[in-house]
Amino acid sequence: MGCVNGKCCSRYPSSTDGDSGGYGEMGSCRNATNKHILTQRSLEIVPVPSQNYELQYSVLTQRGYYPDSPDKENQDSFCIRTQIQGNPNVHFFGVFDGHGHFGTECSRFVKNRLSEILANDPTLLDDPVKAYNSAFLMTNYELHSSEIDDSMSGTTAVTVLVIGDAIYVANVGDSRAVIAVKNRNRIVAENLSSDQTPFRKDEYERVKLCGARVLSVDQVEGLKDPDIQTWGDEESQGGDPPRLWVQNGMYPGTAFTRSVGDSTAEKIGVISVPEVSMVRLTPNHLFFVVASDGVFEFLSSQTVVDMVARYTDSRDACAAIAGESYKIWLEHENRTDDITIIIVHIKGLSNSGAGDTDGTTGANRNPTSSRTGRGSSDSSAASGSEIYRSIRSEFTDLQLSMNRSPAIVVPSPSQPWELVGLLIGLCY
């Protein structure tokens, strides 16, 4: 199909090994009101005045293609809240991937409550890691106590909290946050979060100690030896990953080891404690991406970063990544997952503005009990990244309020390839 404005926003061009010099600049599909044709959104910009830079962001969420469940809702949700606590230097971005019969309700509940609890925590700027841990645990407690049946439903959550020139990333589950780092003439992807699945040895051992059986579906069904407790890696075994089961039952079968909700799986080690990392931004940090595993199931972090770098408009990049994800899903299966992606460009940050995290003092605040982040590159002069992780479980007294954030959904087509053509922008 042709682009409405007559310009071809076709599938991204071939690249040269991640060399930024080989990136072609793609046109943008906009209408006369400057809203993107697919997302119907204007490009959003929010300043971070303490560091004199801007965040330019776009988001797209798309229901998956489910031929056997045509009425299934999009279970993904997202939340973007700017100027947290009225502070122009504090902003929040989150993606929530629901699962189970009440997955939609779980992801919506968590995307609202998590950001609200954070926003009302008076310790947020003094200790973001502690505030994050408290917010996740409190949100999980509230979901258990709500009218939503989360016994076999829940949501993953990956969130980024911007405080001045620092970003704090909190993750439970297998969605992902990635940052693009300029390294000489290349743009390199660095993972800000680590997928929490039984593929990870530390997570595998933790849930085993909690009583979980860890087996793939083929092992549970007797097609493979259940005593073989190695599954390769996610890239090679993603089609039949190891899952968590109770000792004498065929449930819950979660392929992740952390989530919010999932009260049944909680009894065998699925926890809501986030892994929190911190990165001090430098001019070499170009943009970050927060997305559900509908994107990262078949696309690597580097591929996603490469695709974003090829577009001048992040809305086009969102559409291209969603379209490519759909296409590859359908090459492997007869369905796709829901897909949600937030792209945030970091514009105008200079070294002279670095150092103040909350815009109120000159002190840098790093989490205590830190360790190098799993899945991220080591700190180096080339990347400028300083990544820390801390897992803590303290609660704080929290003031609660309600402030819902609407989500956008691109209308789902009746046929899967109709959407692939729409998002990738095939031109004839």
Side-chain angles (χ1 to χ4, degrees):
M1 65 186 69
C3 294
V4 175
N5 62 1
K7 294 181 181 179
C8 179
C9 52
S10 62
R11 187 178 171 187
Y12 58 91
S14 58
S15 68
T16 57
D17 226 10
D19 184 345
S20 60
Y23 297 148
E25 291 192 351
M26 306 302 292
S28 176
C29 289
R30 295 190 296 270
N31 58 24
T33 63
N34 206 38
K35 286 188 176 181
H36 197 266
I37 291 170
L38 296 178
T39 66
Q40 287 299 299
R41 292 177 66 92
S42 300
L43 202 60
E44 304 289 343
I45 299 175
V46 61
V48 184
S50 68
Q51 310 302 318
N52 196 30
Y53 74 97
E54 293 180 334
L55 299 173
Q56 185 183 86
Y57 60 90
S58 183
V59 60
L60 186 149
T61 184
Q62 171 60 47
R63 175 187 175 273
Y65 171 66
Y66 304 101
D68 297 330
S69 305
D71 297 326
K72 183 178 180 179
E73 291 183 275
N74 182 357
Q75 293 187 308
D76 284 2
S77 297
F78 71 86
C79 179
I80 299 173
R81 293 187 65 170
T82 60
Q83 300 190 23
I84 299 291
Q85 297 185 349
N87 190 323
N89 304 300
V90 184
H91 312 288
F92 177 88
F93 304 87
V95 169
F96 308 86
D97 183 354
H99 51 263
H101 187 72
F102 299 105
T104 301
E105 291 84 348
C106 288
S107 71
R108 290 175 180 172
F109 181 95
V110 173
K111 70 120 175 182
N112 287 317
R113 292 302 299 136
L114 182 67
S115 62
E116 289 157 5
I117 293 171
L118 274 175
N120 287 281
D121 188 338
T123 72
L124 178 63
L125 298 182
D126 294 321
D127 195 340
V129 178
K130 180 179 179 180
Y132 246 144
N133 277 278
S134 297
F136 269 85
L137 293 169
M138 181 60 77
T139 301
N140 188 59
Y141 173 79
E142 290 188 4
L143 180 57
H144 289 341
S145 304
S146 73
E147 296 180 353
I148 300 170
D149 179 2
D150 71 346
S151 58
M152 297 288 285
S153 300
T155 184
T156 67
V158 59
T159 67
V160 176
L161 180 68
V162 178
I163 303 180
D165 68 342
I167 60 174
Y168 293 84
V169 182
N171 178 56
V172 294
D174 55 3
S175 294
R176 192 179 301 173
V178 181
I179 196 164
V181 185
K182 184 178 180 181
N183 185 348
R184 297 182 180 178
N185 64 340
R186 300 181 63 237
I187 297 178
V188 179
E190 290 188 0
N191 287 337
L192 296 172
S193 62
S194 177
D195 300 355
Q196 295 150 352
T197 73
F199 282 110
R200 272 178 51 176
K201 183 180 179 181
D202 58 339
E203 289 292 281
Y204 165 82
E205 292 175 347
R206 183 180 60 76
V207 296
K208 289 283 286 186
L209 288 173
C210 293
R213 289 190 302 155
V214 182
L215 301 167
S216 68
V217 172
D218 280 352
Q219 288 175 310
V220 169
E221 294 179 346
L223 301 177
K224 291 184 178 179
D225 186 352
D227 293 329
I228 298 176
Q229 292 284 283
T230 56
W231 298 273
D233 54 40
E234 292 189 63
E235 285 70 25
S236 62
Q237 299 296 323
D240 187 22
R243 297 175 180 272
L244 276 59
W245 314 87
V246 297
Q247 286 297 323
N248 298 305
M250 299 285 284
Y251 64 92
T254 65
F256 46 81
T257 55
R258 302 192 191 205
S259 71
V260 182
D262 292 294
S263 58
T264 298
E266 200 172 75
K267 298 173 184 176
I268 54 172
V270 176
I271 58 176
S272 61
V273 179
E275 289 182 309
V276 182
S277 65
M278 178 275 219
V279 173
R280 183 78 58 195
L281 296 177
T282 75
N284 287 331
H285 291 107
L286 305 179
F287 56 84
F288 60 85
V289 178
V290 187
S292 62
D293 72 332
V295 170
F296 292 110
E297 180 72 19
F298 295 109
L299 298 180
S300 69
S301 298
Q302 188 63 54
T303 297
V304 170
V305 163
D306 289 344
M307 291 182 70
V308 174
R310 293 184 188 111
Y311 288 86
T312 57
D313 191 319
S314 59
R315 294 168 296 182
D316 294 331
C318 283
I321 291 168
E324 184 71 0
S325 299
Y326 252 73
K327 183 177 77 69
I328 299 177
W329 267 95
L330 291 171
E331 289 173 356
H332 291 81
E333 302 187 23
N334 66 349
R335 69 168 188 93
T336 77
D337 198 357
D338 302 326
I339 291 170
T340 300
I341 181 169
I342 301 173
I343 299 173
V344 183
H345 282 271
I346 302 160
K347 299 283 190 179
L349 181 64
S350 64
N351 283 322
S352 61
D356 181 7
T357 59
D358 64 7
T360 59
T361 72
N364 295 326
R365 296 188 173 96
N366 296 333
T368 59
S369 304
S370 59
R371 59 186 176 90
T372 301
R374 176 184 299 273
S376 300
S377 301
D378 292 335
S379 299
S380 66
S383 70
S385 292
E386 295 180 74
I387 301 180
Y388 305 88
R389 288 184 190 277
S390 176
I391 302 175
R392 306 199 304 206
S393 58
E394 301 96 325
F395 280 102
T396 56
D397 292 330
L398 303 172
Q399 301 172 9
L400 308 178
S401 66
M402 188 66 68
N403 180 19
R404 297 185 177 273
S405 302
I408 61 157
V409 179
V410 179
S412 296
S414 58
Q415 299 295 327
W417 291 109
E418 189 178 324
L419 178 69
V420 172
L422 176 67
L423 291 180
I424 297 180
L426 297 176
C427 299
Y428 298 100

